[in-house]
Amino acid sequence: MLTIRLTRKGKKNQPFFRVVLVDKRKSSKGGKSIEDLGYVDPLSKRKSFNTERIQYWLSKGAKPSETIHNWLVTEKIIDAKKLHVSKLSKKKQAEIDKAKADEVASTKAKAEAEAQAKKDAEEAKKAEAEAKKVAAEAPVEEAKPAEDPAEEPKAE
């Protein structure tokens, strides 16, 4: 599989990168590239890309590295979103994963609480409607004062 990536050139503390097309299985440090597609000079902030050839190789199925992909998006050679490139430490990645898991759990708990509240409200409405129905069907009896058998008339 072909890939478009950077190879480092230049002296010590004077980096210079070439944008090359290589077979993915070959090392980026050694090995012959198929074609040079441009260069990047990070010290002077200059970049040059052979747009026609990059688009040709992308149409043939070559995959750009993440860094090259982001530069091609910046230069508007390809239409896509930028990719996250930086590597995170295991500790930082664990914190991010935990935060995401907590967020998912809280949204799930909130959704369950809302569903339970909705269910309780529906049950209350049903019970109220049934109570009204039963009250409407039951005959209305007048309330008579209850005679207390404990009270007996006093003999005088």
Side-chain angles (χ1 to χ4, degrees):
M1 180 166 132
L2 298 176
T3 186
I4 301 171
R5 63 182 177 199
L6 298 171
T7 57
R8 190 179 193 280
K9 300 290 180 189
K11 298 177 187 175
K12 186 177 182 181
N13 295 324
Q14 295 180 353
F16 183 85
F17 297 97
R18 284 196 184 143
V19 180
V20 295
L21 178 77
V22 294
D23 189 357
K24 186 173 180 114
R25 295 171 288 186
K26 290 188 179 179
S27 169
S28 63
K29 303 217 185 228
K32 193 171 181 180
S33 63
I34 298 171
E35 186 174 350
D36 286 344
L37 301 172
Y39 68 89
V40 177
D41 186 358
L43 295 178
S44 64
K45 308 258 192 274
R46 292 185 314 171
K47 293 181 224 167
S48 176
F49 298 109
N50 188 343
T51 307
E52 293 174 4
R53 295 304 292 167
I54 289 173
Q55 289 176 340
Y56 169 79
W57 285 111
L58 289 173
S59 70
K60 294 293 181 183
K63 301 284 182 196
S65 69
E66 292 174 340
T67 303
I68 293 294
H69 175 85
N70 290 343
W71 277 339
L72 295 177
V73 169
T74 302
E75 297 291 320
K76 296 185 171 111
I77 295 173
I78 59 174
D79 237 359
K81 285 187 174 183
K82 287 190 173 185
L83 303 174
H84 182 70
V85 176
S86 66
K87 304 290 183 207
L88 299 173
S89 67
K90 290 181 181 178
K91 184 177 178 182
K92 188 69 173 177
Q93 187 64 44
E95 289 175 7
I96 291 171
D97 292 342
K98 183 180 178 188
K100 284 182 181 178
D102 290 345
E103 184 179 331
V104 168
S106 67
T107 56
K108 187 176 180 181
K110 190 182 286 185
E112 287 177 359
E114 289 176 3
Q116 185 65 31
K118 198 175 197 180
K119 184 178 176 184
D120 291 345
E122 287 177 6
E123 287 178 6
K125 284 182 181 179
K126 285 181 183 177
E128 187 178 320
E130 241 180 75
K132 286 182 180 178
K133 185 179 178 182
V134 169
E137 291 176 358
V140 179
E141 295 181 16
E142 290 185 27
K144 296 181 182 178
E147 294 181 18
D148 193 7
E151 285 185 32
E152 294 181 8
K154 293 183 183 179
E156 291 181 27

